Amino acid sequence: TRKESSAASDVYKRQERTLSIIKPDGVSRGLIGDVIKHIEGRGLKIVAMKMLHLTQAQARGFYAVHRERPFFEGLTTFMSSGPAVVMVLEGDNAIARWRELMGATDYRKAAEGTIRREFATDIEKNVVHGSDAPETAAFEIGYFFNRFEILA
């Protein structure tokens, strides 16, 4: 039947992926487990994860799209100030769902129940990062992970 063939095709439909970063402030404050609990509690699947300490050059490469913005130097200095946890999240509408769970960049404007509302202390030191579009997610995931490091 038509309904059965639609359900069967949904099984083979590739889930959307997005990059998530627990920023140096989140790592130094011991929030890794709290963030992961939020992610898994919302039904997003972690298909790759590692901890790393970005160099200034690596942070500049990752945030190159913002190089003309006034916050670029502060952002790249902060992102290279300590270890961070990078993850690939997967699920239906993963990009939008992760961005909703993170909350507004300005934690004071973030909705109740979001990670930034609960844990952020500063507009820049706001605990987490997430891709904002499929094209951005593809670049960002590829920046940190090769295809052998992402589990299907």
Side-chain angles (χ1 to χ4, degrees):
T1 68
R2 187 172 195 198
K3 187 176 182 178
E4 289 171 339
S5 69
S6 174
S9 67
D10 286 349
V11 171
Y12 297 104
K13 187 168 89 174
R14 185 176 173 153
Q15 301 272 315
E16 186 175 61
R17 290 180 174 165
T18 189
L19 185 82
S20 165
I21 301 176
I22 303 175
K23 295 179 179 182
D25 62 317
V27 173
S28 69
R29 292 174 50 216
L31 298 175
I32 297 169
D34 292 308
V35 172
I36 289 172
K37 185 175 181 178
H38 278 279
I39 290 167
E40 292 181 331
R42 291 288 177 92
L44 290 167
K45 183 178 176 184
I46 300 169
V47 294
M49 178 168 57
K50 58 181 146 182
M51 182 181 280
L52 44 77
H53 189 148
L54 292 173
T55 66
Q56 182 84 23
Q58 290 168 327
R60 285 184 173 145
F62 181 74
Y63 286 107
V65 68
H66 298 302
R67 71 181 155 275
E68 301 302 323
R69 307 289 296 270
F71 58 81
F72 179 75
E73 283 303 317
L75 175 62
T76 57
T77 297
F78 164 62
M79 288 301 293
S80 59
S81 69
V85 173
V86 293
M87 296 176 276
V88 179
L89 309 181
E90 184 178 81
D92 291 334
N93 300 310
I95 295 169
R97 288 171 58 204
W98 174 232
R99 293 189 67 76
E100 181 180 333
L101 179 56
M102 286 191 307
T105 301
D106 183 343
Y107 70 99
R108 296 165 298 193
K109 297 177 182 173
E112 288 294 331
T114 63
I115 292 167
R116 288 178 174 154
R117 179 65 174 242
E118 190 170 339
F119 301 116
T121 59
D122 183 275
I123 194 165
E124 191 174 272
K125 297 178 180 82
N126 58 14
V127 184
V128 288
H129 164 89
S131 308
D132 61 4
E135 303 77 27
T136 312
F139 167 79
E140 292 181 348
I141 291 168
Y143 197 84
F144 292 110
F145 296 94
N146 68 51
R147 64 188 177 103
F148 300 110
E149 295 174 307
I150 302 172
L151 304 177

